[in-house]
Amino acid sequence: MRYLCSAQLEEDPELNAIVDLYRNRPEQLIAALLAVQKLYGYLPEAAMRSLAKELKVPFSKIYGAATFYSQFRLKPRGRHLASVCLGTACQVRGGERIYRRVKRELGVKLGETTPDGRFTLETVSCVGACGMAPVVIVDEHTHGRQTPEKAVKVINSYD
């Protein structure tokens, strides 16, 4: 994940390569947004404005797509994404208590990133691991049969 200010974004050769690839191809808007997000880890406003200009798409349409699809992020994420499942099976087995305990441990609200940039906290509706409920997912790793205490240990095992 890269963090650049607006002026740096305009001169970023990797962003310019993405813009060149999708220039005048408004039908490729989602692909262009995915490429930008892959580059930066989120969609910086300056990058979306650059895409709007070069794809010849109104900024409002780009912003609309970026906020409509849940996979797009408008803010930088932490190095790790901690997701607490609040699907039915996880709820019944204490998912909400785990969420509250992880939230307190990280000192952030839902969707926020810790001040040190280590974690972003999210909830998910279901990850299809109901047999292991309740679950906490950190990055791509699913941790099943959690308790609030186990979840805190999991969180603290990541740097």
Side-chain angles (χ1 to χ4, degrees):
M1 190 177 323
R2 303 169 53 198
Y3 298 97
L4 302 173
C5 70
S6 294
Q8 291 172 315
L9 280 173
E10 292 174 8
E11 298 175 9
D12 184 357
E14 292 184 66
L15 176 61
N16 290 334
I18 292 169
V19 169
D20 287 344
L21 182 64
Y22 296 105
R23 180 170 283 123
N24 296 320
R25 298 173 60 198
E27 73 279 4
Q28 294 294 316
L29 172 59
I30 299 300
L33 289 173
L34 287 169
V36 169
Q37 183 164 282
K38 184 176 182 183
L39 177 62
Y40 298 111
Y42 73 109
L43 297 172
E45 182 180 335
M48 290 192 299
R49 290 197 180 280
S50 181
L51 285 176
K53 180 180 173 188
E54 299 301 330
L55 272 66
K56 304 203 182 313
V57 173
F59 178 75
S60 60
K61 186 171 182 178
I62 290 187
Y63 185 80
T67 56
F68 179 79
Y69 295 105
S70 63
Q71 78 264 32
F72 292 123
R73 296 177 295 281
L74 301 180
K75 294 180 186 175
R77 272 190 176 171
R79 288 191 310 276
H80 303 289
L81 176 62
S83 303
V84 179
C85 183
L86 296 179
T88 302
C90 290
Q91 277 279 20
V92 169
R93 295 182 178 161
E96 184 66 34
R97 286 184 295 118
I98 292 168
Y99 166 69
R100 286 194 309 264
R101 182 65 182 95
V102 169
K103 185 170 89 169
R104 189 173 64 224
E105 179 70 16
L106 295 176
V108 295
K109 295 178 183 171
L110 181 64
E112 290 183 345
T113 300
T114 56
D116 63 1
R118 193 170 140 234
F119 276 99
T120 298
L121 178 61
E122 290 185 348
T123 59
V124 292
S125 297
C126 183
V127 295
C130 301
M132 300 176 8
V135 300
V136 171
I137 302 99
V138 179
D139 300 329
E140 303 299 322
H141 303 102
T142 302
H143 304 271
R145 295 181 178 49
Q146 293 294 293
T147 64
E149 296 75 26
K150 284 181 179 178
V152 167
K153 285 183 183 176
V154 165
I155 294 296
N156 288 329
S157 70
Y158 287 81
D159 62 354

